[in-house]
Amino acid sequence: MAAHRLVVASLLFCCLAEICYGKVLFSSLKRTLDVTASPKQGQVLLSGVDKISGTWALNKTFPAGTDSSYKTIKLKLCYAHISQLDRAWRKTVDDLSKDKTCQHKMVATPYDAANKTVHTFEWLIERDVPQATYFVRAYAFDSNDVQVAYGQSTNANKSSNLFEINAISGRHTSLDICSICFSAFSVLSLGVFFYIEKRKGKSQKQ
Ligand SMILES: *[C@@H]1O[C@H](CO)[C@@H](O)[C@H](O)[C@H]1NC(C)=O
Ligand SMILES: *[C@@H]1O[C@H](CO)[C@@H](O)[C@H](O)[C@H]1NC(C)=O
Ligand SMILES: *[C@@H]1O[C@H](CO)[C@@H](O)[C@H](O)[C@H]1NC(C)=O
């Protein structure tokens, strides 16, 4: 009974929270940020080695004050469609709290509405970034840490300026060799151990 009440209460709380904060739908955001990224269409970068640089700026075609609620700009690495196929864990969902398109945080920077210059960023591709095809997206967040606008290095269809990131295979190969060596060594030592034990047992019997 108590458990039921708890479930109902938490469901209610979730609903209230949803109503209070409102779902943020990606389709409701304006593309007010112009974003560029250094990789060229089809370029292949290496995680842990290569850097992604680029720029972001407020698009000047929007009326003054458009950015009045912007507090933070966060740049993220996002999966291109081809790397989302058959991978529910990278799925694009319009409700941004459930969206899995942009999982890798690159850079976060405070927004200064007085500074209209083109801002630059640079990010060393982290080693844990999986091999896939990507683009870069920037979100503007307000003071409640809710997305209020965006910009991206690709077109609306997410079909242009896509680049690939390769995981370093050398590291994995040497790791694999290492683990094979260790496994072989442990099997061997186990064998030697049993052999010695057996001999000991035999000599004790005799
Ligand atoms: C600014 O926004 C307008 C309208 O959305 C768009 O046509 C233009 O290409 C954008 N400018 C840049 C530099 O992306
Ligand atoms: C505006 O932003 C640029 C790039 O982020 C920075 O180098 C510059 O110092 C800023 N200017 C002011 C006045 O804050
Ligand atoms: C997006 O793709 C559709 C169909 O594939 C095409 O008709 C449309 O022009 C494309 N839009 C952009 C912005 O590339």
Side-chain angles (χ1 to χ4, degrees), residues 155-159:
N155 59 2
N157 278 4
K158 301 187 281 187
S159 61

Side-chain angles (χ1 to χ4, degrees), residues 187-203:
V187 168
L188 199 73
S189 20
L190 209 66
V192 170
F193 175 77
F194 273 118
Y195 177 73
I196 293 172
E197 283 297 296
K198 226 175 164 181
R199 279 195 60 144
K200 251 198 212 158
K202 260 190 195 155
S203 58

Side-chain angles (χ1 to χ4, degrees), residues 37-39 45-55 75-78 103-108 120-130 134-136 163 165:
S38 55
L45 301 140
L46 215 53
S47 68
V49 174
D50 288 326
K51 286 176 180 166
I52 294 173
S53 59
T55 65
L75 288 140
K76 297 184 175 191
L77 194 60
C78 313
Q103 295 183 23
H104 304 280
K105 294 186 190 84
M106 300 169 73
V107 177
T120 56
F121 66 89
E122 190 178 66
W123 182 68
L124 175 70
I125 304 167
E126 282 167 8
R127 281 174 182 275
D128 61 353
V129 170
Y134 295 94
F135 62 91
V136 174
F163 54 89
I165 291 177

Side-chain angles (χ1 to χ4, degrees), residues 56 109 112 114-120:
W56 63 268
T109 169
D112 176 7
N115 191 338
K116 303 290 189 202
T117 55
V118 174
H119 303 270
T120 56

Side-chain angles (χ1 to χ4, degrees), residues 6-206:
L6 200 69
V7 168
V8 170
S10 49
L11 271 179
L12 205 67
F13 180 77
C14 289
C15 292
L16 282 175
E18 194 103 293
I19 291 163
C20 288
Y21 293 108
K23 268 190 212 172
V24 182
L25 302 180
F26 179 73
S27 55
S28 73
L29 300 182
K30 281 208 183 94
R31 185 173 175 168
T32 64
L33 301 171
D34 297 334
V35 176
T36 67
S38 55
K40 296 187 176 57
Q41 166 78 38
Q43 191 176 338
V44 181
L45 301 140
L46 215 53
S47 68
V49 174
D50 288 326
K51 286 176 180 166
I52 294 173
S53 59
T55 65
W56 63 268
L58 184 72
N59 186 309
K60 298 208 169 58
T61 62
F62 288 89
T66 298
D67 57 348
S68 58
S69 66
Y70 301 4
K71 276 282 174 304
T72 320
I73 302 292
K74 291 181 190 171
L75 288 140
K76 297 184 175 191
L77 194 60
C78 313
Y79 291 109
H81 181 65
I82 191 168
S83 295
Q84 294 177 304
L85 294 171
D86 301 324
R87 292 180 179 89
W89 64 95
R90 296 178 182 171
K91 195 167 59 172
T92 294
V93 183
D94 201 26
D95 175 357
L96 283 179
S97 65
K98 300 193 178 93
D99 181 41
K100 301 281 195 299
T101 316
C102 305
Q103 295 183 23
H104 304 280
K105 294 186 190 84
M106 300 169 73
V107 177
T109 169
Y111 186 81
D112 176 7
N115 191 338
K116 303 290 189 202
T117 55
V118 174
H119 303 270
T120 56
F121 66 89
E122 190 178 66
W123 182 68
L124 175 70
I125 304 167
E126 282 167 8
R127 281 174 182 275
D128 61 353
V129 170
Q131 187 155 331
T133 303
Y134 295 94
F135 62 91
V136 174
R137 182 180 284 167
Y139 282 109
F141 285 80
D142 67 8
S143 52
N144 295 320
D145 217 26
V146 171
Q147 296 92 336
V148 287
Y150 81 104
Q152 59 192 22
S153 64
T154 183
N155 59 2
N157 278 4
K158 301 187 281 187
S159 61
S160 67
N161 297 328
L162 305 176
F163 54 89
E164 285 170 44
I165 291 177
N166 267 359
I168 302 172
S169 55
R171 189 172 57 114
H172 293 292
T173 315
S174 58
L175 266 182
D176 286 349
I177 291 171
C178 242
S179 58
I180 289 167
C181 285
F182 268 110
S183 313
F185 179 74
S186 48
V187 168
L188 199 73
S189 20
L190 209 66
V192 170
F193 175 77
F194 273 118
Y195 177 73
I196 293 172
E197 283 297 296
K198 226 175 164 181
R199 279 195 60 144
K200 251 198 212 158
K202 260 190 195 155
S203 58
Q204 268 164 11
K205 264 186 209 154
Q206 280 166 0

